[in-house]
Amino acid sequence: MTSTAAATAVPVLEVGGSHVTAAAVDPAGAAVVEGSRRRLPLRPDATPEEFVAALADAANGMLAADCLRHRDLGGAWGVAVPGPFDYSAGTARYRGVGKFAALDGLRVADCLVPLLRRPPARLRFLNDAHAFGLGAWRTGHTSARRFVALTLGTGVGSVFLDRGTPVEEGPRVPPGGRADLLAIDGRPLEDTVSTRALIARYTGLTSLPVDGLRGLSQRAARGDRAARTVTEDALRALGRAMAPWLAAFEAEALVVGGSATAAWDRFGPPFAQGLTERHPALAALRPAVRPDGEDAALLGAAEHALRG
């Protein structure tokens, strides 16, 4: 991990759709400092005050940890948050995406820093999928010049890294480097692959409710034919959508994270089938699974902070 003489630990925050995690990262060891992690629930319908308070409570709980009492925490903090978000300005842009709607326009940095017991010199924001990818690359794939990470859960996140630097423009990557903006069979990819899309299709086939991706995978494992069809079709479609871009980018390594990794023994084969249907040569690109997605995102947020 990139290091600086001033920082012996880098505070970071990782924001998900239902939680916020604060921790300190040891840049020399590329690991979360033991005893520093604080994880709190976070509602997708939180008010701005509730959202900022949850981030501050998690961060201040981390800062109060005994393991950090004698640590120099440096200057910049890394903050991984899902989009849409203006990462350079630290401003939420959640509009019409079904989560954090009350936060649209919230200047998170301005509201959060005054509440912190050890205020940082700066908060450096980055996309949560970028954070996962940076952390996964740094801790296992630095030999790969061209590296791609996908996060599969509520939606599809992605990052395309060239020597560890995100690539967001050009003919080798999707628009903005974002897999969620792709289309498959004439429809937006997330209308096929996201959790909401899978639940809607399963319920349409069976008239039964289901508890998200985890519930679908459990039913598929128990022999539920509709659950198996829905999940396998979605992952095959994802493979077909990603194949042209993985080939164009000349990806040397691919890592998958997110809640789908818990059932990758069932999700992986149809995804690989979709890849090779479009580009047979991609059979040589075997995805690596990172079930420790939170740790990878925390490490990636620290990496981003140190690159300041």
Side-chain angles (χ1 to χ4, degrees):
M1 179 170 287
T2 305
S3 62
T4 66
T8 59
V10 182
V12 293
L13 290 166
E14 186 262 334
V15 178
S18 61
H19 75 278
V20 55
T21 298
V25 170
D26 174 4
V32 175
V33 176
E34 186 173 355
S36 70
R37 192 187 313 248
R38 298 293 184 272
R39 198 175 201 266
L40 295 177
L42 187 63
R43 300 199 326 270
D45 62 347
T47 66
E49 293 77 14
E50 290 169 337
F51 179 83
V52 174
L55 268 60
D57 287 349
N60 286 328
M62 174 265 295
L63 291 170
D66 288 342
C67 59
L68 299 182
R69 185 171 300 172
H70 303 296
R71 291 248 190 181
D72 178 359
L73 299 184
W77 291 24
V79 184
V81 294
F85 198 94
D86 184 337
Y87 295 100
S88 61
T91 302
R93 297 298 182 203
Y94 301 112
R95 187 178 304 139
V97 293
K99 62 182 178 184
F100 298 147
L103 309 183
D104 188 38
L106 179 68
R107 295 183 62 85
V108 177
D110 291 349
C111 297
L112 178 59
V113 169
L115 302 180
L116 300 177
R117 58 186 294 166
R118 294 169 68 177
R122 183 183 180 194
L123 298 180
R124 298 204 71 226
F125 294 85
L126 77 163
N127 179 269
D128 56 346
H130 283 206
F132 168 78
L134 274 174
W137 175 80
R138 174 56 69 185
T139 56
H141 296 276
T142 53
S143 61
R145 174 184 172 181
R146 297 188 186 275
F147 172 85
V148 179
L150 293 176
T151 55
L152 307 177
T154 304
V156 181
S158 64
V159 65
F160 292 72
L161 299 179
D162 186 342
R163 297 188 182 94
T165 298
V167 180
E168 298 177 323
E169 297 179 352
R172 290 178 176 267
V173 299
R178 291 174 53 183
D180 63 301
L181 297 182
L182 295 176
I184 188 69
D185 299 329
R187 303 173 60 203
L189 179 62
E190 289 207 337
D191 283 356
T192 299
V193 181
S194 65
T195 296
R196 62 172 172 79
L198 271 70
I199 291 173
R201 186 178 177 207
Y202 180 82
T203 300
L205 290 172
T206 66
S207 299
L208 298 173
V210 63
D211 183 18
L213 191 59
R214 183 183 299 276
L216 274 174
S217 65
Q218 290 172 344
R219 294 188 186 191
R222 292 195 298 265
D224 184 322
R225 183 172 297 178
R228 184 172 297 176
T229 296
V230 167
T231 53
E232 290 181 355
D233 285 355
L235 270 294
R236 191 177 297 111
L238 176 64
R240 289 192 289 116
M242 288 299 302
W245 299 105
L246 292 170
F249 194 63
E250 299 180 71
E252 299 166 23
L254 170 65
V255 169
V256 178
S259 58
T261 60
W264 196 248
D265 58 335
R266 291 185 291 279
F267 295 162
F271 174 71
Q273 183 180 353
L275 289 179
T276 55
E277 282 177 2
R278 294 291 300 271
H279 282 275
L282 291 175
L285 185 66
R286 299 184 180 276
V289 176
R290 285 290 297 256
D292 61 334
E294 181 174 277
D295 276 22
L298 294 169
L299 296 175
E303 175 78 13
H304 182 70
L306 289 171
R307 290 182 178 187

